[in-house]
């Protein structure tokens, strides 16, 4: 069975699929969720250092600091 594909049709189909896929990636959505323990009286939370599963001794502290910075930056 000889199956010949037309490169132009494949190119057009690939271009259309790419355009549709990229079109869905341009919208940003803000999601606000509050944990079950949240109350308006809660003024601060503590970020405990992550357990380090790597060979870098500072990886857990670095991730905890980045997480705390991200929480402060978005007003959490």
């Amino acid at each position: 069975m000889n199956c010949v594909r037309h490169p132009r049709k494949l190119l057009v189909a690939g271009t259309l699929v790419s355009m549709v896929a990229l079109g869905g990636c341009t919208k940003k959505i803000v999601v606000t969720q509050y944990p079950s323990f949240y109350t308006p009286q809660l003024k601060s939370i503590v970020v405990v250092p992550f357990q380090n599963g790597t060979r870098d001794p500072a990886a857990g502290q670095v991730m905890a600091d980045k997480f705390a910075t991200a929480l402060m930056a978005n007003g959490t």
Side-chain angles (χ1 to χ4, degrees):
M1 182 176 202
N2 246 346
C3 185
V4 178
R5 298 197 177 184
H6 300 284
R8 183 176 288 166
K9 286 183 180 180
L10 289 175
L11 180 63
V12 170
T15 303
L16 289 174
V17 168
S18 297
M19 289 172 61
V20 169
L22 290 175
C25 298
T26 59
K27 180 137 175 112
K28 290 188 178 186
I29 300 172
V30 177
V31 177
T32 305
Q33 293 179 322
Y34 295 99
S36 58
F37 60 84
Y38 176 79
T39 65
Q41 294 81 22
L42 184 65
K43 300 294 180 191
S44 64
I45 62 170
V46 176
V47 177
V48 179
F50 292 90
Q51 184 175 358
N52 187 357
T54 69
R55 292 182 183 179
D56 182 357
Q61 187 62 46
V62 168
M63 291 307 297
D65 290 343
K66 287 186 177 193
F67 183 61
T69 301
L71 289 174
M72 287 186 288
N74 72 11
T76 301

